[in-house]
Amino acid sequence: MTHPILVTGATGYVGGRLRRLLEADGKRVRCLTRRHTGLASRVGETTEIVEGDVLEIESLGPALAGVESAYYLIHSMGSGRDFEEQDRTAARNFGSVARGAGVRRIIYLGGLGHGPHLSPHLTSRQEVGEILRESGVPVLEFRASIVIGSGSLSFEMIRALVERLPMMITPRWVEVEAQPIAVDDLLAYLVAALDIPLAQNQMFEIGGDDRVTYGDLMREYARQRGLRRAMISVPVLTPRLSSLWLGLVTPLYARVGRKLIESIKYPTIVRDTSTLEIFPVHPRGIREAIAAAIRDEERGIAESHWYDALSSKGEGRNWAGVRFGNRFVDSRAREVNVRPEAAFAPIRRIGGETGWYAYDWLWRLRGFLDLLVGGVGMRRGRPAPDTLHVGDALDFWRVEAYEPNRILRLAAEMRLPGRAWLEFEVVPRNGASTIRQTALFDPVGLFGLVYWYSLYPLHSLVFSSMLRGIARAATGRPRRISGWHRPRRRRPSSAVR
């Protein structure tokens, strides 16, 4: 029996696509994930899922047992201020257990950059490679520049800015040079790394065929989309101000946007071109990379998105020691004279471009307020307009449970003084259906109680109107506009450095 190939970060942008490539190639794949449910509905029949956390060393043994090759595709870009220490701990844990398990190679995807003065994010990415090498397991490290593909962090930023702003006020970092790589070329390198002879540590710099700036990327995107755009450079936009600005006009939120900007302020150019002689990969230029990304976006088939990873919500709050016991439940039901599949159809499409069936402007306001306090906001949308899987990001929620035509449960990822869920259940009744909508909130402390009671009248109004809107959509009646509502312009469902 062949040894399994371990893929960490399999819920992320690169890891999700790599897993599917390995499965299609007939490889025996094992995925390490913190939550089994986030992958169970996505993997192939022969792929094994093992629950574990790189920050908990005792959980890594089962994942690495019998593994000869392991992909390390983990980083803490979405975490809080101590992300560097989390990256160090995770790499030490993984390297230590990998050595003990007899792993023969670790394939690591790091960040490209040279010199002593790099962003904290890029510095951490390169430090992780050093720590993995110190484990004694041979490490094949790729250092990549900007990744261009449908759903990537950088492409999503470029697309949103160019599509929405006829004139852009741009900071200096827009004209810093980089060597972007198409996501398909990056994946080709990762797959080929399994067969490259590796007796000792090796590091390879990878990039596309062109050296360009973010400004060049935006101009090329505009050219291919037939858009006329003006860019005016100003020197006063700091990374913090730029990240807040990006959060207002793109799907990025301030925390991730700031780390992205801090990284792209530094040139990411390939200096060592030996990779082209060793690997059977011929990287494409930006025209081909952007064209491929646009095609996938327009067809709505982005295989993965930068926000798919559970870490995209940021560092989750540690609830250890917090006492819950005052759970509030707001539940209501409505009967509709249609079969369960018809009753569930509008629930399946909720969020994103479809909206929330009532008071969409209030949902967007809540997302904007969440963005201001460092939350994810509403701009993540949803991966696809008509399908859902457990683990999908959906606006400022995450799909926690999903059974077609029966149940959808969303866990809140917005900033809250507690924990919250929103659940929809469809129950068949004598040829008709009952739609039950339930909001649950676990408050923390006095502020949590104040939050619930002060907003309960508004929640009651919004949730009751939403249920009526879902019922109307299920029975095929036109949607009524509750409150002030401005339909959003339809755009393809979207968008790693």
Side-chain angles (χ1 to χ4, degrees):
M1 179 180 291
T2 58
H3 295 274
I5 298 168
L6 180 67
V7 178
T8 65
T11 62
Y13 179 74
V14 174
R17 296 183 181 220
L18 175 64
R19 171 187 56 77
R20 284 187 286 271
L21 277 180
L22 296 174
E23 289 174 343
D25 199 32
K27 298 288 195 299
R28 185 182 169 200
V29 180
R30 179 184 294 167
C31 297
L32 172 68
T33 182
R34 283 177 291 177
R35 283 167 40 186
H36 182 279
T37 54
L39 273 175
S41 62
R42 308 184 189 195
V43 302
E45 294 181 359
T46 61
T47 295
E48 180 184 3
I49 302 174
V50 178
E51 285 195 354
D53 189 334
V54 287
L55 295 176
E56 299 173 4
I57 191 169
E58 65 278 1
S59 70
L60 298 179
L64 285 158
V67 168
E68 288 193 347
S69 298
Y71 287 96
Y72 193 82
L73 306 175
I74 294 173
H75 64 92
S76 303
M77 189 171 185
S79 299
R81 296 179 181 178
D82 62 342
F83 75 93
E84 295 102 330
E85 187 55 41
Q86 287 190 16
D87 279 340
R88 293 185 195 107
T89 300
R92 290 191 191 103
N93 290 347
F94 190 85
S96 174
V97 178
R99 183 183 65 246
V103 173
R104 296 186 178 181
R105 81 174 58 197
I106 296 173
I107 302 169
Y108 170 59
L109 177 60
L112 184 59
H114 303 92
H117 304 295
L118 296 175
S119 70
H121 173 60
L122 280 177
T123 300
S124 178
R125 296 291 292 274
Q126 296 188 3
E127 184 185 14
V128 165
E130 292 292 339
I131 293 172
L132 291 174
R133 285 187 282 274
E134 290 170 1
S135 71
V137 179
V139 175
L140 192 158
E141 177 182 355
F142 291 113
R143 291 186 177 178
S145 181
I146 301 165
V147 178
I148 298 296
S150 58
S152 78
L153 184 60
S154 295
F155 181 76
E156 173 69 4
M157 182 181 77
I158 292 164
R159 186 191 60 76
L161 287 173
V162 176
E163 292 283 355
R164 296 174 182 175
L165 300 177
M167 184 177 70
M168 290 174 271
I169 306 299
T170 60
R172 288 176 177 172
W173 53 261
V174 168
E175 297 305 326
V176 174
E177 272 199 323
Q179 201 158 341
I181 184 168
V183 65
D184 288 341
D185 294 332
L186 171 61
L187 293 168
Y189 277 119
L190 289 170
V191 172
L194 291 170
D195 300 319
I196 296 297
L198 185 67
Q200 58 185 3
N201 299 318
Q202 288 186 273
M203 192 273 290
F204 298 99
E205 297 180 355
I206 56 176
D209 199 37
D210 296 317
R211 295 185 178 188
V212 295
T213 67
Y214 257 88
D216 294 329
L217 291 171
M218 288 190 278
R219 284 184 280 267
E220 176 59 25
Y221 179 91
R223 187 193 67 80
Q224 294 196 27
R225 292 280 290 117
L227 301 171
R228 296 175 64 88
R229 294 295 182 260
M231 292 192 293
I232 302 173
S233 180
V234 296
V236 295
L237 285 177
T238 66
R240 177 169 179 77
L241 289 175
S242 296
S243 66
L244 292 173
W245 164 64
L246 286 174
L248 293 174
V249 297
T250 76
L252 309 184
Y253 40 100
R255 182 181 61 253
V256 171
R258 184 174 181 180
K259 290 178 181 178
L260 174 64
I261 293 165
E262 287 175 342
S263 296
I264 61 181
K265 286 195 309 179
Y266 301 91
T268 52
I269 299 296
V270 173
R271 294 182 180 177
D272 182 357
T273 60
S274 61
T275 307
L276 299 174
E277 302 170 3
I278 298 172
F279 287 83
V281 180
H282 302 285
R284 67 201 75 185
I286 62 165
R287 286 195 175 190
E288 294 175 80
I290 290 176
I294 291 175
R295 284 196 302 270
D296 287 349
E297 287 284 328
E298 291 180 342
R299 292 160 57 195
I301 62 168
E303 293 183 26
S304 59
H305 302 78
W306 64 272
Y307 51 71
D308 288 338
L310 296 176
S311 60
S312 74
K313 68 177 181 180
E315 186 177 3
R317 179 167 178 180
N318 184 358
W319 298 110
V322 177
R323 180 180 178 182
F324 294 101
N326 298 309
R327 175 172 290 185
F328 294 104
V329 178
D330 181 284
S331 187
R332 60 196 77 234
R334 195 174 186 94
E335 290 199 19
V336 288
N337 193 29
V338 296
R339 297 182 60 82
E341 53 269 27
F344 196 81
I347 297 171
R348 187 179 69 241
R349 295 190 290 266
I350 200 167
E353 294 297 330
T354 298
W356 293 84
Y357 296 102
Y359 293 101
D360 282 359
W361 69 275
L362 279 175
W363 288 95
R364 292 198 295 274
L365 176 61
R366 180 63 179 87
F368 175 72
L369 295 176
D370 189 59
L371 184 70
L372 291 181
V373 296
V376 298
M378 286 278 283
R379 294 183 179 275
R380 295 188 302 185
R382 49 179 292 158
D386 200 50
T387 57
L388 286 174
H389 299 88
V390 171
D392 281 351
L394 200 167
D395 290 338
F396 44 44
W397 305 87
R398 179 81 58 175
V399 178
E400 187 174 87
Y402 181 72
E403 296 179 32
N405 302 327
R406 182 176 174 271
I407 194 167
L408 169 65
R409 184 167 66 248
L410 305 173
E413 291 190 342
M414 74 284 277
R415 295 296 181 94
L416 288 169
R419 305 179 300 185
W421 296 265
L422 181 60
E423 181 176 283
F424 303 91
E425 183 180 13
V426 173
V427 179
R429 294 198 185 280
N430 301 321
S433 303
T434 297
I435 303 174
R436 177 164 294 279
Q437 174 199 80
T438 304
L440 302 99
F441 182 61
D442 270 341
V444 173
L446 178 61
F447 186 47
L449 296 174
V450 171
Y451 175 86
W452 173 264
Y453 284 116
S454 63
L455 292 181
Y456 180 76
L458 183 60
H459 284 163
S460 180
L461 173 66
V462 171
F463 288 144
S464 59
S465 298
M466 178 169 60
L467 182 58
R468 287 196 298 271
I470 290 172
R472 294 182 65 85
T475 55
R477 288 178 290 169
R479 177 178 174 180
R480 288 179 179 172
I481 305 302
S482 300
W484 178 79
H485 171 77
R486 182 179 63 194
R488 289 174 287 182
R489 182 172 60 86
R490 181 83 178 167
R491 64 175 178 83
S493 62
S494 80
V496 145
R497 197 181 103 71

